[in-house]
Amino acid sequence: AGLDSIHVCTLAFVDNHLWIGTKQHGIKILDVKKNNMRSIDYRHGLINNEILCIRPHGRNIWVGHSGGLTGYERDSVYNALWN
């Protein structure tokens, strides 16, 4: 899905990359220097595709979902779930 057809919920700027959290399409990451975009969704380790917040903290990027938290540290992904 292109950006014109998605509901954007949150934005974060990390190391020349704009992280775009969406309502149903996971995360879109725009490399502002190369002007290209990639996507991360549940197939890449997210708990689900509803992204409520994105917060960089040190080497980590924390992604809040409706049912948990996903953390990224460079190439590692880890999840915490709650009910």
Side-chain angles (χ1 to χ4, degrees):
L3 286 180
D4 58 343
S5 63
I6 62 174
H7 180 138
V8 174
C9 296
T10 188
L11 300 170
F13 194 74
V14 182
D15 298 329
N16 293 312
H17 293 84
L18 180 61
W19 286 55
I20 304 164
T22 71
K23 178 96 173 137
Q24 296 176 320
H25 299 283
I27 300 170
K28 307 293 185 186
I29 302 173
L30 174 64
D31 184 325
V32 297
K33 287 192 174 186
K34 296 179 182 174
N35 197 31
N36 63 13
M37 189 173 309
R38 65 185 175 108
S39 298
I40 300 174
D41 60 25
Y42 70 93
R43 296 172 295 184
H44 303 101
L46 294 179
I47 293 169
N48 60 46
N49 285 339
E50 183 181 8
I51 310 303
L52 302 176
C53 61
I54 299 172
R55 296 292 181 264
H57 185 264
R59 293 179 46 102
N60 297 319
I61 299 171
W62 295 99
V63 178
H65 306 268
S66 57
L69 190 65
T70 299
Y72 288 90
E73 182 180 7
R74 304 291 179 201
D75 295 325
S76 300
V77 177
Y78 38 93
N79 291 305
L81 302 171
W82 56 77
N83 293 327

